[in-house]
Amino acid sequence: MTAAADKLVGAIVGGRYEIVRELGRGGMGAIYEVRHVKLDRLFAMKVISCDLTPEAMVRFEREAQMIARLRHRNVVEIVDVELLEDGSPCMVMELLSGETLEDRLQRQGTLTPDEVDRILWPLLDGLEQVHGAGFLHRDIKPANILLNAAGDPTLIDFGAAREAMVGRTSAMTAIFTPGYAAAEQMTSAKQGPWTDIYGLAATLYHAIAG
């Protein structure tokens, strides 16, 4: 945890979430373990480190609401969306136990064929539901796949998700992780479900080849 993050421990944000600790940090912002002060229940909060215009905030809230309607055991559940006191938008998600695929690969190098099989089909099934709702994840990588003790996967971190509008011609914001991003994420080409499938395939290639 950074010194700045350490200062946030114990702070109440959004009027009802107490920050317990920082769980991770990336290009889009930081993820914290938080406690709902009234429910006394722990959640994960993704604070997005960018300022949104009023129009963009309305879109962010609408997208979060739509993603929150998804119910799939292999897709993290989003339970709330907030605009914090400093103007930072955030998503509140269920707090899951386990380790990321990135951590697993750092520890053991590669996955066995059975382990690959155990994560591939549930994630494809989850993505089918995400895409069916009209959304793209856009940042599928080992760090965004959480594995429980049994090795079952959950797709996490929808901070980069965007609505995939049918017939959309304007380019989406360039948000991607080198090594896992499809070519269209680095250009103005149209993105679609195939963009996430590429990210999942690149992730599995890493898991198989090390």
Side-chain angles (χ1 to χ4, degrees), residues 67-87:
I67 296 172
R69 295 191 187 108
L70 294 174
R71 290 292 184 272
H72 193 283
R73 65 177 185 173
N74 301 108
V75 177
V76 68
E77 181 181 356
I78 295 175
V79 299
D80 198 2
V81 60
E82 273 289 343
L83 185 64
L84 302 184
E85 289 78 1
D86 65 355

Side-chain angles (χ1 to χ4, degrees), residues 147-182:
L147 304 176
N148 64 16
D152 299 316
T154 300
L155 186 61
I156 62 174
D157 197 351
F158 277 80
R162 286 292 299 272
E163 189 174 1
M165 299 171 63
V166 176
R168 183 183 179 92
T169 56
S170 59
M172 290 186 175
T173 307
I175 298 173
F176 58 86
T177 300
Y180 304 99

Side-chain angles (χ1 to χ4, degrees), residues 113-195:
D114 286 344
E115 288 173 327
V116 171
D117 194 61
R118 192 176 186 92
I119 68 173
L120 170 60
W121 305 111
L123 289 177
L124 283 175
D125 190 56
L127 278 176
E128 184 176 27
Q129 186 163 329
V130 171
H131 296 156
F135 278 86
L136 305 177
H137 186 281
R138 298 204 303 153
D139 196 21
I140 297 178
K141 56 186 177 183
N144 284 341
I145 296 172
L146 194 72
L147 304 176
N148 64 16
D152 299 316
T154 300
L155 186 61
I156 62 174
D157 197 351
F158 277 80
R162 286 292 299 272
E163 189 174 1
M165 299 171 63
V166 176
R168 183 183 179 92
T169 56
S170 59
M172 290 186 175
T173 307
I175 298 173
F176 58 86
T177 300
Y180 304 99
E184 61 267 19
Q185 291 182 269
M186 302 173 228
T187 67
S188 59
K190 184 178 179 180
Q191 299 178 31
W194 55 86
T195 306

Side-chain angles (χ1 to χ4, degrees), residues 40-52:
D40 193 25
R41 180 181 170 188
L42 295 175
F43 295 96
M45 175 183 284
K46 174 67 179 286
V47 179
I48 300 174
S49 57
C50 63
D51 294 326
L52 298 183

